[in-house]
């Protein structure tokens, strides 16, 4: 491709020196923005893959953190955890698109740092029940469920969400 053809493709033909420099600067900035967006999307995909692959590991890691419950109660919470996350992700992608839906899932997964799996399941179920994928609503409902289970025990929380 000749220099003239490249200039024509970039919209540089017929421009003065200053106009040409300004146009090149704008093109450079546009490429940098697009590259930054592509890097951010790649990081988000990597985060999601890591989070999704580790979803069951997170449920098992809860035991190491002293949050897992023994016996049938713990198994019931772990079993619904992955299904609930998948349901939330599907709803988020339907509502906001693939990229934004995945970002919402990552935000919800980050709540797992401070809340046990059963409370997160309760929060997601409460949000999905009213057709919302708001991470703020999930967080508020999960905290409420966690506070409730501190007073009533895990049996009530798991039993309440097994029939959902």
């Amino acid at each position: 491709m000749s220099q003239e053809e490249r200039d024509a493709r970039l919209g540089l033909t017929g421009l003065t020196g200053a106009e040409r420099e300004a146009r090149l600067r704008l093109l450079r900035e546009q490429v940098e923005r697009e590259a930054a967006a592509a890097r951010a999307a790649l990081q988000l995909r990597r985060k999601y893959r890591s989070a999704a692959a580790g979803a069951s590991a997170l449920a098992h890691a809860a035991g190491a953190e002293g949050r897992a419950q023994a016996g049938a109660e713990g198994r019931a919470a772990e079993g619904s955890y992955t299904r609930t996350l998948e349901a939330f992700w599907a709803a988020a992608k339907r509502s906001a698109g693939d990229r934004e839906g995945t970002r919402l899932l990552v935000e919800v997964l980050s709540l797992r740092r401070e809340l046990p799996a059963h409370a997160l399941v309760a929060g997601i179920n409460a949000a999905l029940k009213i057709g919302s994928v708001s991470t703020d609503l999930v967080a508020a409902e999960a905290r409420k469920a966690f506070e409730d289970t501190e007073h009533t025990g895990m049996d009530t929380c798991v039993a309440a969400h097994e029939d959902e």
Side-chain angles (χ1 to χ4, degrees):
M1 178 182 300
S2 72
Q3 182 67 39
E4 287 140 5
E5 290 172 327
R6 271 185 249 138
D7 285 355
R9 268 184 96 179
L10 296 173
L12 300 173
T13 54
L15 299 178
T16 65
E19 292 171 331
R20 183 181 175 93
E21 289 300 315
R23 174 79 176 142
L24 287 171
R25 188 177 65 251
L26 288 174
L27 289 170
R28 211 174 296 119
E29 290 170 0
Q30 180 182 359
V31 167
E32 288 170 2
R33 277 193 308 272
E34 289 173 5
R39 280 192 298 274
L42 179 61
Q43 285 179 334
L44 189 59
R45 278 194 299 271
R46 285 179 180 158
K47 266 187 196 177
Y48 170 71
R49 281 187 197 132
S50 172
S56 64
L58 285 175
H60 292 291
E65 297 170 7
R67 293 182 184 159
Q69 298 292 321
E73 297 169 354
R75 285 190 299 277
E78 289 174 11
S80 63
Y81 184 68
T82 303
R83 286 190 308 273
T84 304
L85 286 173
E86 288 174 0
F88 179 83
W89 190 36
K93 288 194 308 183
R94 268 193 316 274
S95 173
D98 284 351
R99 178 187 245 173
E100 185 66 14
T102 301
R103 187 189 65 73
L104 291 169
L105 176 66
V106 169
E107 281 187 37
V108 166
L109 285 169
S110 71
L111 293 172
R112 185 65 180 85
R113 294 178 187 151
E114 60 188 72
L115 294 166
H118 66 88
L120 194 55
V121 167
I124 292 170
N125 283 334
L128 291 177
K129 193 176 239 181
I130 62 169
S132 174
V133 291
S134 164
T135 55
D136 292 335
L137 179 61
V138 170
E141 291 295 327
R143 286 186 184 99
K144 187 166 76 173
F146 180 62
E147 290 169 4
D148 291 346
T149 58
E150 284 183 324
H151 299 297
T152 60
M154 175 126 173
D155 296 351
T156 309
C157 181
V158 171
H161 296 290
E162 282 180 340
D163 29 274
E164 290 182 359

